[in-house]
Amino acid sequence: MSTLTEIEAAIKKLPEGEIRQLAVWLQTYLDETWDRQIEADLESGKLDHLIAKAEADIAANNLRDLDEVLYDT
């Protein structure tokens, strides 16, 4: 089983409980991959400019509530 189509077909044959277990495993895998990427980006300095901007905004009291940012109110 090496292609996405084959994997999808195999998943469709699984019982619902096993599909749910697979979904949990896949989300955990994606979360861990994301965490490793963020850590690598931090270590490499890729995020330094964003951190500096956030620190400058905090120092200037240029802050908004998260709800305001998320919901553009």
Side-chain angles (χ1 to χ4, degrees):
M1 186 177 327
S2 60
T3 69
L4 181 57
T5 303
E6 291 171 328
I7 294 168
E8 288 171 348
I11 290 170
K12 289 177 182 178
K13 294 177 183 176
L14 292 172
E16 182 180 345
E18 289 183 19
I19 293 172
R20 291 185 183 280
Q21 287 177 339
L22 177 61
V24 168
W25 177 88
L26 184 56
Q27 188 60 59
T28 300
Y29 174 80
L30 292 171
D31 291 346
E32 290 170 355
T33 300
W34 173 259
D35 289 345
R36 284 191 300 274
Q37 183 63 56
I38 291 294
E39 289 171 9
D41 288 349
L42 276 169
E43 289 178 18
S44 73
K46 281 185 175 180
L47 302 178
D48 289 353
H49 67 286
L50 295 174
I51 293 168
K53 169 106 174 67
E55 289 172 342
D57 285 344
I58 291 167
N61 201 30
N62 184 18
L63 307 171
R64 296 189 300 169
D65 288 340
L66 183 57
D67 285 343
E68 183 181 341
V69 173
L70 292 176
Y71 303 113
D72 205 16
T73 59

